[in-house]
Amino acid sequence: MAEPLTLYLAAPRGFCAGVDRAIKIVEMALEKWGAPVYVRHEIVHNRYVVDGLRAKGAVFVEELADCPPDRPVVFSAHGVPRAVPAEAEARRMVWVDATCPLVSKVHNEAARHHANGLQMVMIGHAGHPETVGTMGQLPPGEVLLVETVADVARIAPRDPGRLAFITQTTLSVDDTAEVVEALRARFPAIVGPGREDICYATTNRQEAVKAMAPRIDALLVIGAPNSSNSLRLVEVGRRAGCRYAQLVQRAADIDWRALAGVRAVGVTAGASAPEELVREVIDAFRSRYAVTEEMVETAVEGVEFKVPRVLREPAA
């Protein structure tokens, strides 16, 4: 007889509105212009999603130079430096920007502060596409990157009294609060965003993990190893007291030996992981245990973002 096990399912989890919109943009571009449609970088950080779009005719490339000028190109949900659409215009390419509107909001904040003569401090992860895209909105040297509280002590701004800060949208809420506190302590005049840059979906998924943490022996986060928001969910789980918190891309990645003896497992998914992968993990547990499912709901999301007008207009 199978051992009993309770699966606590986080809600919300998985796709956010920005990811949903980005995938829809690629699918609608394929419908409008036919294959191939080129996509600069992974449209979102999930191999399952990227492979599914590739099978429909999307071609994923690293740089715009890898795209022929006579085929449409889509820019990923993470955003791109201003030089990229400028290059597409110079090459007279058809391009569609799938940047998440919440990332675009941060871009606009940076541009506004720059126009007012402020140097920017960005809290983010070096090399992450969103950070590269956001820093690329302004001229070199106008954005100072910090990842940790220790980094705050090392930066040397042009004028400590003329600073503003922005953040990557997929960070840990708690870690970011500590860095912001350090920035305000060192630079009392620093200007912050009117509302927190960390997106609603990132915040909601982290809150759901915190709520389930006291009830579970282990946490599985379904997501990609290059997905910032998924990695943050693992960290949030560990910080909230989960003895075992692990990132898995698919059910096949579950380390069943590490779960030996557990009676309660939490399951969540990063913002770019589809619900099919959650069901796959649940089915894997059902094949081994007598599973009881319980929902841990901390928010209800009703956000929806429109796709660009060019995709809503008929092809010429």
Side-chain angles (χ1 to χ4, degrees):
M1 186 174 172
E3 295 179 4
L5 180 122
T6 303
L7 278 185
Y8 288 93
L9 307 176
R13 63 176 179 268
F15 278 1
C16 62
V19 165
D20 200 46
R21 172 181 179 268
I23 294 167
K24 198 177 295 180
I25 284 172
V26 177
E27 291 174 338
M28 290 177 73
L30 285 163
E31 286 172 20
K32 180 168 182 172
W33 292 298
V37 165
Y38 285 75
V39 185
R40 184 184 178 277
H41 289 175
E42 291 186 344
I43 187 67
V44 296
H45 282 158
N46 189 276
R47 187 189 301 164
Y48 181 88
V49 170
V50 168
D51 286 348
L53 292 172
R54 188 179 283 119
K56 294 178 181 179
V59 178
F60 293 88
V61 297
E62 283 305 303
E63 298 299 338
L64 204 60
D66 302 323
C67 304
D70 60 342
R71 293 306 304 166
V73 60
V74 177
F75 303 146
S76 86
H78 305 103
V80 294
R82 291 179 68 180
V84 175
E87 182 188 341
E89 288 288 337
R91 293 178 64 193
R92 300 188 177 183
M93 301 174 75
V94 173
W95 57 274
V96 186
D97 190 359
T99 301
C100 173
L102 298 179
V103 174
S104 296
K105 179 177 81 72
V106 179
H107 291 183
N108 294 336
E109 282 174 28
R112 187 177 70 251
H113 289 312
H114 177 65
N116 291 331
L118 302 183
Q119 190 177 17
M120 301 302 306
V121 178
M122 179 168 189
I123 306 169
H125 294 294
H128 188 278
E130 184 186 329
T131 299
V132 172
T134 300
M135 294 181 71
Q137 300 305 302
L138 303 184
E142 288 303 305
V143 186
L144 305 173
L145 181 65
V146 297
E147 296 192 41
T148 64
V149 169
D151 291 338
V152 174
R154 289 193 280 266
I155 58 172
R158 186 169 54 239
D159 180 350
R162 302 280 293 160
L163 287 175
F165 74 86
I166 51 176
T167 79
Q168 188 178 321
T169 62
T170 55
L171 301 178
S172 157
V173 174
D174 297 332
D175 288 346
T176 304
E178 292 173 5
V179 179
V180 169
E181 190 178 326
L183 282 171
R184 292 196 188 281
R186 186 176 173 203
F187 308 110
I190 197 166
V191 178
R195 289 187 62 195
E196 185 56 68
D197 286 337
I198 296 174
C199 88
Y200 77 94
T202 298
T203 303
N204 289 346
R205 279 149 190 72
Q206 290 179 15
E207 289 302 316
V209 166
K210 289 177 187 177
M212 69 163 60
R215 314 184 205 180
I216 59 179
D217 305 314
L219 172 70
L220 294 183
V221 177
I222 302 162
N226 60 341
S227 165
S228 175
N229 76 87
S230 300
L231 294 171
R232 302 296 80 74
L233 289 173
V234 175
E235 292 171 1
V236 167
R238 288 172 181 162
R239 179 177 279 192
C242 292
R243 293 193 298 274
Y244 179 85
Q246 196 62 45
L247 183 77
V248 295
Q249 295 193 72
R250 303 286 300 262
D253 300 324
I254 297 171
D255 183 349
W256 297 106
R257 287 175 299 179
L259 297 176
V262 303
R263 290 293 171 263
V265 176
V267 176
T268 189
S272 49
E275 185 63 15
E276 299 100 287
L277 300 188
V278 177
R279 296 314 311 180
E280 180 184 278
V281 166
I282 293 169
D283 289 343
F285 274 98
R286 287 195 170 280
S287 70
R288 289 167 171 80
Y289 297 92
V291 169
T292 302
E293 292 183 28
E294 288 203 25
M295 193 78 75
V296 180
E297 186 173 73
T298 53
V300 177
E301 295 176 351
V303 179
E304 191 172 335
F305 297 133
K306 286 184 179 178
V307 298
R309 183 180 295 137
V310 67
L311 293 173
R312 290 180 267 132
E313 296 169 344

